[in-house]
């Protein structure tokens, strides 16, 4: 692939058009770039290590409380692992709505509401924060997935990083399940099973492992947090 073709695809690429971004990413991979460099070329910023750790772990095969967006995730999956996909999934409409509201946001994932009737949360990076080397994340309210209706006004800061938000979400989920599991009214249809709590703990431990890999060190605080949930 010659440089003129790369420049042409770069000029054609738009975050509002997933297919154009995927074409650019695939061509950049053909030039020998890796995922980190491809995202830097596509967005003009360096992305936090936590994003690549999640991609390496399997992304859509992870049993986490999250629905992942198409961008930037698909663009970070190299061709030898099947990416970037040619067409986006249902999250593309939500991503487009968010970009129309605030193009500085980079939608990452949608976290389901903890209770029926509540709003989901969409977690995003900000390009401005990424340029400053900060993985800070911001949240918007949304109708439950797979609806594309985004609620509320401006995105508000909700965590120091994406994995920090996922950690807190999984801690809360596990604590709620275990409290209900050991309650006297937990019986009959709709009751919480031990297997559900076990799976929730496994998901939390996965988030902690992802944090450890992203940090490059064993995170002592999250480990203590797991032990505190009984």
């Amino acid at each position: 692939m010659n440089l003129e073709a790369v420049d042409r695809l770069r000029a054609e690429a738009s975050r509002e058009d997933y297919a154009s971004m995927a074409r650019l990413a695939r061509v950049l991979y053909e030039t020998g770039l890796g995922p980190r460099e491809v995202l830097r070329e596509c967005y003009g910023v360096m992305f936090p290590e936590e994003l690549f750790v999640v991609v390496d772990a399997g992304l859509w095969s992870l049993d986490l409380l999250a629905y992942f967006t198409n961008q930037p995730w698909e663009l970070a999956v190299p061709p030898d692992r099947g990416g970037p996909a040619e067409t986006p999934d249902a999250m593309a409409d939500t991503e487009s709505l968010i970009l129309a509201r605030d193009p500085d946001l980079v939608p990452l994932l949608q976290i389901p509401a903890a209770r029926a009737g509540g709003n989901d949360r969409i977690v995003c990076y900000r390009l401005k924060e990424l340029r400053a080397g900060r993985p800070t994340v911001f949240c918007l309210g949304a109708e439950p997935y797979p609806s594309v209706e985004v609620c509320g006004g401006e995105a508000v800061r909700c965590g120091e990083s994406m994995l920090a938000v996922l950690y807190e979400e999984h801690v809360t989920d596990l604590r709620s399940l275990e409290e209900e599991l050991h309650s006297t009214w937990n019986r009959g249809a709709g009751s919480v099973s031990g297997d559900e709590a076990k799976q929730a703990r496994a998901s939390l431990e996965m988030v902690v492992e992802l944090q450890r890999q992203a940090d490059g060190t064993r995170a002592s605080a999250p480990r203590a947090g797991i032990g505190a949930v009984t």
Side-chain angles (χ1 to χ4, degrees):
M1 181 64 65
N2 60 54
L3 294 179
E4 288 185 3
V6 173
D7 289 341
R8 175 176 56 79
L9 289 174
R10 182 180 284 110
E12 294 174 354
S14 169
R15 291 176 60 203
E16 297 177 357
D17 177 17
Y18 169 82
S20 69
M21 294 291 284
R23 285 194 297 270
L24 174 60
R26 283 194 293 269
V27 166
L28 291 171
Y29 280 117
E30 289 179 13
T31 68
L33 297 182
R36 292 162 181 78
E37 293 77 22
V38 167
L39 286 195
R40 182 183 61 196
E41 290 293 322
C42 288
Y43 289 87
V45 296
M46 289 294 293
F47 278 76
E49 189 63 22
E50 63 176 1
L51 184 141
F52 304 104
V53 165
V54 172
V55 171
D56 289 344
L59 191 55
W60 288 280
S61 65
L62 297 176
D63 189 8
L64 301 178
L65 298 173
Y67 303 105
F68 292 94
T69 56
N70 296 279
Q71 299 183 63
W73 299 103
E74 280 285 0
L75 309 185
V77 181
D80 61 1
R81 295 186 59 185
E86 291 188 7
T87 57
D89 63 20
M91 281 291 284
D93 290 336
T94 301
E95 296 168 53
S96 295
L97 283 177
I98 292 173
L99 287 177
R101 278 169 165 254
D102 188 343
D104 191 55
L105 293 174
V106 181
L108 296 168
L109 49 89
Q110 186 161 343
I111 297 177
R115 293 178 175 80
N119 286 331
D120 289 4
R121 285 191 297 163
I122 300 176
V123 181
C124 312
Y125 288 138
R126 273 199 177 281
L127 291 175
K128 180 180 179 180
E129 292 289 294
L130 295 179
R131 290 190 188 99
R134 293 188 291 265
T136 317
V137 288
F138 299 78
C139 288
L140 285 164
E143 293 291 332
Y145 182 85
S147 171
V148 298
E149 185 65 29
V150 180
C151 309
E154 295 184 359
V156 296
R157 186 185 186 281
C158 59
E160 295 181 357
S161 70
M162 171 189 65
L163 286 178
V165 170
L166 281 176
Y167 171 75
E168 294 298 333
E169 192 71 23
H170 283 80
V171 166
T172 300
D173 180 61
L174 177 58
R175 181 176 291 118
S176 176
L177 287 174
E178 292 195 333
E179 287 177 354
E180 188 170 347
L181 177 64
H182 296 110
S183 67
T184 57
W185 59 82
N186 185 55
R187 55 172 60 91
S191 60
V192 172
S193 68
D195 286 344
E196 288 180 85
K198 182 178 179 180
Q199 182 55 57
R201 180 172 287 274
S203 295
L204 173 57
E205 290 174 347
M206 170 58 73
V207 174
V208 172
E209 174 60 18
L210 293 170
Q211 286 180 309
R212 186 193 67 78
Q213 292 178 27
D215 294 341
T217 58
R218 187 173 298 277
S220 58
R223 290 292 181 184
I226 288 181
V229 179
T230 59

